[in-house]
Amino acid sequence: MANTTKLNVIYGDVTLGLSGPGFHYIFAYDRGGLESLVRYGKEWLYRTPKPAFWRATTDNDRGNGFSTSSAAWLGADMFSACTKIEVAVNGQSIPLPIAPENNKYSDHETAETVAIKFTYTTTTVPATTVTVEYVVDGAGKMTINTHYHGAAGLPELPVLGLRFVMPTAATGFDYQGLSGETYPDRLAGGRPGTYHVDGLPVTPYMVPQECGMHMANDWVKVTRATTQNNADPDHQPFSLTVSQNGHPFAFSCLPYTPEELENATHIEELPVARRTVLTVYGATRGVGGIDSWGADVEPQYHVAGDSDHDFSFEINGTTEA
Amino acid sequence: MKAEISWLDDPQTFRVNQLPAHSDHRGYATAAEAAEAKSSLVQSLDGSWGFAFSKDPQHRPVGFYEPDYDRSDFDRLAVPGHIELAGYGQIQYINTAYPWEGKHYRRPAYSMGADHPEKGMFSTDPENTVGSYVKHFTLNPELRHQRVSIEFDGVEQAMYLWLNGHFIGYAEDSFSRAEFDLTPYLQDGENLLAVEVFKHSTAAFLEDQDMFRFSGIFRSVRLVAKPALHLEDMTIRAGVDDAFVTGNLNVKLALSAADKLAGAVKVSLFDATGNVVWTDDSEAAAELTVQTTVNHVHLWNHHDPYLYRLEVTLLDADSQVVEVVPYPVGFRRIEMKDKIMQLNGKRLILNGVNRHEWDAHRGRAVTAADMAHDMQVFHDNHINAVRTCHYPDQDDWYYLCDQNGIYMMAENNLETHGTWQKMGAVEPSYNVPGSLPQWQLAVLDRAKSNYEMFKNHAAVLFWSLGNEAYAGDDIAAMDKFYHDADPTRLTHYEGVCRNRVYEDRISDMESMMYDPPREIEKYLQNDPDKPFVNCEYMHDMGNSIGGMNSYIDLIDKYPMYQGGFIWDYIDQALWTKDEVTGQPVLRYGGDFDDRHADYEFSGDGLLFADRTPKPALQEVDYYYGQHD
């Protein structure tokens, strides 16, 4: 039994590979993050997940100048770089295992858990850091802990999250949370329950903008039926589930990044939907509504830039899936 | 009388030969017709009309109304509809500034002094498009040899009318019914009706609503026959005693006759199951009043919109029925008591929305299906009140509100935003109507048209003087008109907060738009004189409606806070064909090369322009459900 729950660890020169029954993950030192998340032969990542700081400007954001005052986060959302990588095996830190450090390993290494932590330094002035730690166990369960270091002088954040871009568009998603599109200041009407959403609908606001937020979820399960793998003719649906770790989380599941939404003045200008953009949020600003030409979002629904924020969630292990 | 194009430039000429505004009741030839709501006395003129478009008054086909005019090059155009949506004339969306911003420097006639009449401003305007409409019709047999009038439910923005080459009359006020007597010039066989519609006149200064700017005959047109005896007007007052037990019904009737006014008038009241509650027989007279009391009256309100049915039957001297007029009657009492608005003795809470008439295919030429859909959305989301922003709606909407218990703030057609607020700053140096005597009759006429047409609807609780037209003697005169004409309802005006000199003379309630909750709370904590209503709040532009609880919390905290009307019900955008893909797409201001424009500011609805709900609607449903 013990052997079956152990993680296989591949101490590569460019990446750290972790595998077990039904999963294979690759963390890339050169790409600064989780490069590959394969479950039962299906790839779930298009590019490495990065911290999310931006939301496509809402009409109210534009009207009250928030997108102007917080514009630094748009740059940070697109261009913040990974500046540090730390690895721990069975809870013990080890030096970054690249050659010659990894010459001591074999092709049959195992561990109980492996943690890898990426530090991203923002492009803001002043700069700050966000750490994203992935803790993986032998069942393939991935616990993701994110920490934002507040820094004096930073503008308020539109959002704080971790964005996963998947190679192909999802057929839909299921979640346990609130009905409809909800925000911190607009969730009283959301009815708790388990919901299915077909496809990846973009709320058709006249000018494409932040949309599709779901507050207070226990889990979300994304289902796709296609891959980019030329050797995979199978079109059976397959799923990935993200679950809460102690606190409900917010997410959006859309075919576009905030930057793609930001650039469009009409919904028909958006590109053909090719990907799935799943963003898990630790904090999100309210949308406001007093007016659309100056009134601020009420203060309790702001996300401070000068204080720390933490959030944590899980990607379910294969044995639970 | 000869039609003068200079009327377009004169704010003191706004109705010529129009029949007086009156109750919106409909006459039927028989009780059976009334039961089916199909009147043989009415002949619709909706449908395909002959049409010529001109880019300005100088290029219009002068004399096109003459029977022998060569109209072989006329196109066809559907009535009702907007000229711009048929491909003539540029579509434009603009909010507060006037549609000629950046193209013409203009000051309203007399606003810079009595010696500034601004002659020629619209009659020689190179951008004032003109629609020349013609319709041939032959009277239905039921209308022949009777007095016949014509009703235009909505023509934007100024119209001249001819029949068989004879000038009939002139009308402004795009959103009020204009009625003219055709009798003298009707002929056997085919008749030629001609309507010349100008996009702009001095009415443009009074109709600066935040909306797409259209022109044309955008509501229905019909011929109406008046039988030998005809009910011209009717004023129904259906109240209740102080104990809210006994109903008081007072019905004032005004009759006209083709010849001698003789015969009888039977007035009956039926309950909702059709049982006769009361009946009265009187001799026909030009004016008569009948009244009764109703024991244990079934009152009308949002949750129980109980309607009695009044039926007025006119009989000629031979006791033959010549006209039957049914009308729904809701007994209720709206009053200000201890500085709180009460309906039937209970504090009124307004879970309201502002509703522009909108259809993404048809603009403001909304359909019965649109209205039915909207009523269902109200019902499903605890919406109990509507402000007819910022003009009178189609008549059917008022009947729907009666039937469904929707409280109406019935607003007349007035907004002059661009004359007193520029880029958000209050700057009323050339405001109209202000206190200018040359503009007062025009706005009073708008108030009167609104009152006379809708005075019998139980749903109408408030008369609203208009929106964002600042304050002055002319607005005060409108308020006085409403109070003098109708002691049974309250008045509302948004501009009450704009110039406090007038606050006691222009609105029974304190009204603000987009005031933050903490500011409203300050008002309420300061021993105010009037209850507070948000005439517009929760601006639902794009992804919005955050923090609604801060308003709703005031309801339980302050009895003088009485709710409000969300801005607004539906996005204004238009279905067009994508120039790249050919696919249908929704387009908004600026998408038609229209400049100056206000772009996406027209998208503030709880519904998208295609009537699908925005996600925020569930929030409104929740919070409005708290005090439903």
Side-chain angles (χ1 to χ4, degrees), chain B residues 239-510:
Chain B
V240 61
D241 70 350
D242 290 344
F244 300 99
V245 172
T246 305
N248 303 305
L249 180 68
N250 182 297
V251 183
K252 199 170 140 191
L253 305 171
L255 275 57
S256 70
D259 300 312
K260 188 171 177 294
L261 208 158
V265 180
K266 185 184 183 72
V267 181
S268 303
L269 186 72
F270 301 88
D271 67 17
T273 53
N275 298 316
V276 182
V277 176
W278 163 74
T279 191
D280 176 275
D281 294 289
S282 305
E283 260 185 54
E287 290 198 351
L288 67 149
T289 300
V290 293
Q291 52 194 345
T292 189
T293 55
V294 178
N295 291 330
H296 299 289
V297 68
H298 195 143
L299 294 176
W300 178 96
N301 66 33
H302 171 61
H303 286 290
D304 184 13
Y306 189 93
L307 292 172
Y308 292 80
R309 186 169 64 89
L310 187 80
E311 194 170 278
V312 180
T313 304
L314 306 185
L315 304 102
D316 65 14
D318 300 327
S319 298
Q320 295 298 306
V321 171
V322 292
E323 191 174 63
V324 178
V325 175
Y327 209 94
V329 175
F331 286 83
R332 89 279 180 281
R333 184 204 284 198
I334 174 77
E335 63 188 325
M336 190 74 75
K337 210 166 186 182
D338 303 326
K339 301 199 284 191
I340 292 169
M341 294 184 289
Q342 295 191 350
L343 179 70
N344 300 338
K346 297 196 180 84
R347 176 187 172 214
L348 184 66
I349 307 284
L350 298 167
N351 294 328
V353 294
N354 282 274
R355 176 180 171 273
H356 264 288
E357 293 185 311
W358 193 253
D359 177 306
H361 291 287
R362 301 172 51 82
R364 285 187 287 279
V366 298
T367 64
D370 290 331
M371 287 186 260
H373 182 106
D374 296 349
M375 202 44 82
Q376 189 63 46
V377 171
F378 282 24
H379 177 265
D380 292 346
N381 292 279
H382 302 290
I383 295 167
N384 72 1
V386 68
R387 178 179 181 218
T388 67
C389 64
H390 301 295
Y391 43 79
D393 289 339
Q394 275 188 40
D395 195 23
D396 288 351
W397 181 246
Y398 297 76
Y399 287 96
L400 283 171
C401 288
D402 288 341
Q403 291 159 18
N404 290 278
I406 299 299
Y407 306 139
M408 299 187 83
M409 178 173 276
E411 196 151 275
N412 54 229
N413 177 19
L414 177 63
E415 175 157 357
T416 68
H417 211 154
T419 70
W420 63 273
Q421 193 175 51
K422 288 97 184 176
M423 294 188 288
V426 174
E427 197 296 295
S429 58
Y430 67 89
N431 172 234
V432 288
S435 298
L436 297 170
Q438 298 92 341
W439 289 82
Q440 188 176 111
L441 290 176
V443 296
L444 276 174
D445 183 62
R446 286 163 187 248
K448 183 171 168 58
S449 294
N450 189 43
Y451 164 73
E452 297 293 353
M453 179 126 168
F454 303 117
K455 61 190 174 218
N456 294 325
H457 287 281
V460 175
L461 303 188
F462 315 109
W463 299 115
S464 182
L465 279 52
N467 185 59
E468 300 186 88
Y470 200 61
D473 293 347
D474 295 357
I475 299 283
M478 294 170 79
D479 188 74
K480 183 174 187 311
F481 163 78
Y482 278 121
H483 278 301
D484 288 350
D486 188 355
T488 70
R489 292 183 176 94
L490 303 172
T491 63
H492 163 270
Y493 179 55
E494 171 276 339
V496 67
C497 64
R498 304 290 182 182
N499 182 351
R500 293 295 181 186
V501 170
Y502 289 93
E503 69 178 335
D504 294 335
R505 293 196 279 150
I506 56 178
S507 185
D508 290 335
M509 64 197 84
E510 174 72 356

Side-chain angles (χ1 to χ4, degrees), chain A residues 185-186 265-266 268 288 292 298, chain B residues 539 544 546-547 550 587-588 591:
Chain A
D185 56 353
R186 198 185 78 206
T265 61
H266 293 82
E268 63 270 20
S292 302
E298 293 184 298
Chain B
H539 194 259
S544 189
S550 298
R587 291 285 163 88
Y588 51 80
D591 287 342

Side-chain angles (χ1 to χ4, degrees), chain A residues 59-60 179 181 183 185-190 203-207 209-210 265-266 268 287-293 298, chain B residues 514 517 538-539 541-547 550-551 573 578 585 587-588 591 600-601 603 608 615 618-619 622-623:
Chain A
D59 290 312
N60 289 348
S179 62
E181 182 188 273
Y183 288 87
D185 56 353
R186 198 185 78 206
L187 50 70
T203 314
Y205 296 116
M206 270 179 11
V207 175
Q209 55 195 273
E210 159 62 31
T265 61
H266 293 82
E268 63 270 20
V287 288
I290 291 172
D291 66 38
S292 302
W293 49 89
E298 293 184 298
Chain B
Y514 311 111
M538 283 274 102
H539 194 259
M541 183 177 181
N543 191 348
S544 189
I545 307 281
S550 298
Y551 289 100
D578 187 296
V585 291
R587 291 285 163 88
Y588 51 80
D591 287 342
E600 65 271 24
F601 200 72
F608 292 106
Q618 72 174 5
E619 197 78 353
Y622 174 81
Y623 281 118

Side-chain angles (χ1 to χ4, degrees), chain A residues 206-208 256 260-272, chain B residues 578-581 585-588 591:
Chain A
M206 270 179 11
V207 175
Y256 304 117
E260 287 173 313
L261 292 168
E262 186 74 60
N263 275 332
T265 61
H266 293 82
I267 198 158
E268 63 270 20
E269 295 161 19
L270 290 166
V272 175
Chain B
D578 187 296
E579 60 280 6
V580 177
T581 66
V585 291
L586 283 167
R587 291 285 163 88
Y588 51 80
D591 287 342

Side-chain angles (χ1 to χ4, degrees), chain A residues 59 206-207 291-293, chain B residues 93-96 210 514 539 541 567-568 571-572 588-589 597-605:
Chain A
D59 290 312
M206 270 179 11
V207 175
D291 66 38
S292 302
W293 49 89
Chain B
Y93 164 67
I94 191 165
N95 175 10
T96 63
D210 173 12
Y514 311 111
H539 194 259
M541 183 177 181
W567 188 266
D568 58 356
D571 280 1
Q572 295 175 50
Y588 51 80
D598 280 295
Y599 303 93
E600 65 271 24
F601 200 72
S602 63
D604 314 333

